[in-house]
Structures are given as C-alpha cells and as structure tokens.
C-alpha cells in the first residue's frame, strides 16, 4: 500500500512539521507514505477572478505532474462529500481490497484546487464547511489517515 499526500506550499511551522512527521512515522507500519510539497504561486493579496483562476491553474499543473495514472485520488474540497472517520476507514479498506493500493490525497493552496485537479480526482472529500489553513489541513489529514488504519486494524486508538 502506498499513501501520497500532495500539498501546495512549504510548511514553515515546526509544530505542524513535527505532528505530520509523527503520524507519518506511525503510518509506516501499514503503508509507505510520501509527502510532496509543490510550490505555491506567488500572488498579490487582491486578485481578480481571472488572476485567481491563473494561480489555481499553475498550482494545479504542479499537482497533476505528481499524480500517476494508477493512483486513486482524493481531492480535499469544501464541496466534497463529508465522511466520518469510520466511513473513511471503510472506504480505504474497500479500495485496498479491490486492488487500489496507491492512494493520493491532494490539498490545494489558499485559493483551493483547480477544476482540472478536481476532474482528475476519483472522489472529493470534505472535512466540513469550515475553512482551515492548508498547512494545518495536512496535519489533520495525516492524523485521519492514520486513524483509518487503526480503525481497520481494530485497535483502540480511535476511541
């Protein structure tokens, strides 16, 4: 099993890096884990819609260049389908038992994900309607993936 997390931008905060590293280390007993950072597109604070689309397109190209055809892609999107931890665990279990062993999770930048990335995704997943900084979302996502594996292993962590 291979888990890939693609995120836009570089993490700077030590506490986020440490948390992600801890969950990635824990995940290694279940799966190979790869965390890829693609550069965010520099842009001024105030953007027109055309400029926003251009920024998302450039970031989207960088993301798509990191995804292989065989990968099953979860795009994190506010308009995606919300899942409980148990539902995500069941989905991961189902995918792995049906031959999908390369799972990729994509977190966009501050403007979100380009339509091309959403189109490439096999599914869109939402962690709720609230907005989290994309850097923090990496930590939350990594923990939830780990939690899914612990649920599937029937261990008490998830309680």
């Amino acid at each position: 099993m291979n888990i890939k997390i693609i995120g836009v931008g570089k993490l700077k905060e030590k506490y986020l890096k440490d948390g992600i590293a801890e969950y990635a280390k824990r995940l290694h007993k279940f799966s190979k884990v790869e965390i890829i950072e693609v550069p965010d597109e520099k842009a001024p604070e105030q953007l027109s819609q055309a400029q926003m689309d251009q920024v998302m397109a450039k970031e989207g190209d960088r993301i798509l260049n990191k995804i292989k055809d065989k990968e099953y892609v979860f795009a994190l999107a506010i308009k995606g389908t919300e899942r409980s931890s148990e539902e995500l665990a069941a989905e991961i279990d189902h995918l792995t038992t049906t031959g999908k062993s390369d799972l990729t999770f994509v977190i966009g930048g501050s403007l979100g994900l380009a339509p091309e990335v959403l189109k490439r995704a096999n599914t869109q997943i939402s962690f709720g309607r609230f907005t989290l900084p994309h850097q923090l979302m990496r930590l939350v996502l990594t923990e939830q993936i780990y939690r899914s594996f612990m649920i599937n292993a029937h261990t008490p962590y998830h309680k």
Side-chain angles (χ1 to χ4, degrees), residues 49-110:
Q49 185 61 50
Q51 289 170 313
M52 284 192 268
D53 293 343
Q54 192 174 47
V55 167
M56 286 192 300
K58 287 180 181 179
E59 291 174 348
D61 286 343
R62 293 176 188 141
I63 292 167
L64 292 171
N65 285 332
K66 302 295 182 185
I67 299 173
K68 297 181 177 108
D69 288 342
K70 68 179 181 173
E71 294 171 9
Y72 187 93
V73 178
F74 291 83
L76 275 67
I78 288 175
K79 293 182 180 177
T81 303
E82 290 184 36
R83 294 157 172 86
S84 67
S85 296
E86 292 78 12
E87 289 168 335
L88 180 60
E91 187 171 0
I92 289 172
D93 186 56
H94 173 75
L95 289 167
T96 58
T97 58
T98 57
K100 305 248 184 333
S101 61
D102 296 295
L103 306 182
T104 297
F105 295 82
V106 180
I107 303 169
S110 59

Side-chain angles (χ1 to χ4, degrees), residues 6 8 11 20 24 26 46 52 79 110 122 131 159:
I6 302 172
V8 174
L11 280 183
I20 292 167
R26 292 180 188 188
Q46 299 296 322
M52 284 192 268
K79 293 182 180 177
S110 59
N122 298 89
T131 302
K159 301 250 180 214

